[in-house]
Amino acid sequence: MHARDALCKALYGAVFKAVIEGTNVQLQEAGGAPGTVVDAAAAVRRREKLAKINVLDIFGFESLATNSFEQLCINYCNEKLQNHFNEHIFKLEQQEYAAEGVEVPDTAFVDNAPCLALLDQPQKGAFAMIDEEMLVPRGSDAGFVSKLLRDHAQHPNLERPRRASVSTQRKPVFGRGGSGGSGSGGGGGAGAGGMADGDSTFVVAHFAGKVSYTVEGFLEKNKDALHDDIAACTRRASVALVAGLAEDAQDAAAARGRGERRSSALRKASLGKQFIEQLGALMLQLQASDPHFIRCVKSNTRAASDTFEAPCVLRQLRYAGLLAVVTIRKLGFGYRWTFGAYLQRFGVLMPGNAGRAAADSGEAGRCRNLLEWLQRQALDEAVAAPFRAAVAEGVQFTAADGDAAAAAAAAALSPVPLIPPGTAVCGATKVFMRDPRALEAQLDVALGRFATRIQVLLY
């Protein structure tokens, strides 16, 4: 069965690679008539000189009822891409602050580097330990997981599975039995329902949640090598694509015939090693490009119109890593407007006389005057009253509850500042704020009063 599966994977991989390479060659402009077959070498040279737009479509984070070697590879890929995504977003934030001349305290974003190290660290990572176990006489899946849990017993992203007498298998959500693609579904906890055998499972705390992996078949799947007999058959095939499948197997057999170390042949055939190297090459391409990200979210699990399932959407946002964007934004000033947008939205809060006095200072000057004026104002009593009542009842507010709530807690019954100090600043072209909820509430009160006045005049 393993020999059959290896042949199927090899055939699929060869066909996929041939289709991609053939498509890329034919897409190059050769200067000839449409449909003309172009020279492959010339197409490669031309492609190297052209600007390119590449589209990377991945099958997202997976958490199934039983997670095996395939899920470990897929989730490792997602960890790697999430790390790149986090670094890119954080870098963009720092660049915008620098361009706007806004000073923010040094912030450190806690990324998923420890989880990546657990999986791909040379010699000590999970993939390297699988390769090592393949070299050990009588190496086994159980031996691998035992060593992994022993050597990384204190690692924050590795856990022993909890033993449970009742199955906790999750229902399928999206994709294959609950896998999380770009519209991922599975649950946020360990995905291996009922897999409580400590000798065959381990749990990795990924950025999207904990996943329990069942190691049965890990070593066999990691070999990714054609059996010698199958390689001999494919070598005699009349189709060049099929005959080429035997090249790697022939090289490995030749190495064994020359008496080379067993490790050289096995390491060459390691699927995990190939996967890490190919992913590393992809990351170098991504780091040298200007990336843009598209996240697809399904509103419900039933593919029904006009239906929104909050847990389903939240799960996808977590699996897509979008909550990390919110975290990164909140490290500095999470809300921002251009000067024109800020004046248009909040300019009505400034009294007419003060507004007219600043009218000749230009858009940037008017916006700075507006912000300075707002920072000197107290929150309207209609907005502050609920906070005061809560404080009087002993409710404890923190900055996480919003600037107005934190100010109310600190000032008790004193006037609450509309924009607390240090929570808003003007940049070169934009206004930055940490939390505009108090200002928005003040705007609602002011617009309500304006509406009342208009009604009085009309009726």
Side-chain angles (χ1 to χ4, degrees):
M1 183 176 67
H2 292 303
R4 177 204 63 191
D5 292 346
L7 176 61
C8 291
K9 288 192 294 183
L11 285 172
Y12 180 86
V15 172
F16 185 85
K17 182 179 180 181
V19 169
I20 295 299
E21 291 179 346
T23 302
N24 286 338
V25 169
Q26 295 302 320
L27 286 176
Q28 307 306 312
E29 296 180 0
T36 302
V37 177
V38 301
D39 178 67
V44 170
R45 290 193 297 271
R46 189 174 295 104
R47 184 166 63 244
E48 291 175 348
K49 298 179 181 179
L50 295 176
K52 295 178 290 185
I53 298 177
N54 299 325
V55 178
L56 174 63
D57 185 14
I58 65 168
F59 197 86
F61 187 83
E62 287 195 350
S63 180
L64 312 183
T66 300
N67 301 283
S68 189
F69 185 76
E70 298 86 351
Q71 282 68 48
L72 182 65
C73 291
I74 290 172
N75 291 342
Y76 165 65
C77 176
N78 278 274
E79 286 283 356
K80 202 77 171 175
L81 292 172
Q82 182 65 29
N83 183 266
H84 173 69
F85 177 68
N86 291 345
E87 289 182 352
H88 178 70
I89 296 299
F90 189 76
K91 183 178 180 180
L92 286 180
E93 287 288 288
Q94 299 302 315
Q95 288 176 347
E96 182 167 13
Y97 289 139
E100 291 287 330
V102 174
E103 294 184 4
V104 294
D106 291 336
T107 54
F109 178 69
V110 180
D111 60 14
N112 60 342
C115 186
L116 288 173
L118 171 66
L119 299 176
D120 64 8
Q121 185 178 8
Q123 299 181 350
K124 297 182 180 180
F127 285 108
M129 294 181 72
I130 296 174
D131 289 349
E132 289 296 330
E133 190 66 20
M134 292 170 59
L135 309 179
V136 175
R138 302 180 65 181
S140 65
D141 298 322
F144 154 68
V145 72
S146 175
K147 295 173 184 176
L148 178 69
L149 293 173
R150 179 196 65 197
D151 293 353
H152 297 281
Q154 303 303 319
H155 199 285
N157 292 89
L158 182 67
E159 299 178 8
R160 292 180 179 273
R162 294 182 179 179
R163 298 182 180 274
S165 58
V166 180
S167 172
T168 58
Q169 180 169 332
R170 301 184 182 278
K171 296 181 180 180
V173 183
F174 293 125
R176 300 177 300 164
S179 63
S182 57
S184 57
M195 301 301 298
D197 185 358
D199 295 332
S200 63
T201 58
F202 63 95
V203 178
V204 175
H206 292 283
F207 74 91
K210 297 179 181 180
V211 179
S212 179
Y213 294 96
T214 302
V215 299
E216 182 179 358
F218 262 43
L219 268 60
E220 189 65 36
K221 293 176 181 179
N222 190 45
K223 290 179 181 177
D224 192 42
L226 291 176
H227 193 278
D228 290 344
D229 293 340
I230 295 179
C233 291
T234 59
R235 195 176 300 117
R236 292 193 292 268
S238 58
V239 180
L241 184 68
V242 178
L245 297 177
E247 293 180 359
D248 290 341
Q250 187 176 16
D251 292 342
R256 290 193 295 270
R258 292 191 300 267
E260 295 182 6
R261 292 189 308 140
R262 182 170 178 255
S263 62
S264 62
L266 286 179
R267 286 185 186 278
K268 186 173 183 179
S270 167
L271 179 61
K273 185 177 181 181
Q274 294 177 39
F275 191 80
I276 290 177
E277 291 175 348
Q278 293 172 4
L279 186 56
L282 172 63
M283 297 310 300
L284 290 177
Q285 284 186 298
L286 291 177
Q287 291 164 4
S289 64
D290 184 16
H292 300 270
F293 302 91
I294 300 175
R295 304 292 191 180
C296 301
V297 178
K298 296 182 179 180
S299 61
N300 61 84
T301 59
R302 296 178 284 123
S305 61
D306 301 322
T307 303
F308 184 89
E309 297 176 358
C312 166
V313 173
L314 177 60
R315 190 161 51 238
Q316 294 173 80
L317 295 179
R318 181 179 292 113
Y319 277 27
L322 294 183
L323 296 184
V325 178
V326 178
T327 303
I328 292 173
R329 273 285 183 115
K330 290 175 68 176
L331 292 175
F333 297 93
Y335 299 84
R336 55 206 68 174
W337 300 263
T338 61
F339 286 159
Y342 195 80
L343 287 170
Q344 183 177 12
R345 183 156 187 81
F346 300 111
V348 296
L349 294 175
M350 196 171 186
N353 293 335
R356 284 190 290 272
D360 297 331
S361 58
E363 192 175 70
R366 287 159 47 207
C367 200
R368 288 187 172 89
N369 289 336
L370 171 61
L371 184 59
E372 290 173 1
W373 184 86
L374 291 173
Q375 288 174 324
R376 295 193 299 267
Q377 306 309 304
L379 191 65
D380 191 280
E381 187 59 29
V383 179
F387 294 118
R388 297 187 193 284
V391 170
E393 293 176 2
V395 176
Q396 298 292 322
F397 289 107
T398 66
D401 299 305
D403 292 330
L413 299 180
S414 302
V416 179
L418 183 58
I419 301 179
T423 62
V425 64
C426 273
T429 64
K430 297 178 182 179
V431 175
F432 294 78
M433 293 189 68
R434 294 190 187 276
D435 186 352
R437 285 179 291 182
L439 191 58
E440 293 284 358
Q442 185 89 343
L443 179 62
D444 289 341
V445 172
L447 293 178
R449 289 172 179 167
F450 290 148
T452 301
R453 294 177 185 175
I454 292 174
Q455 290 175 340
V456 170
L457 293 175
L458 292 178
Y459 302 104

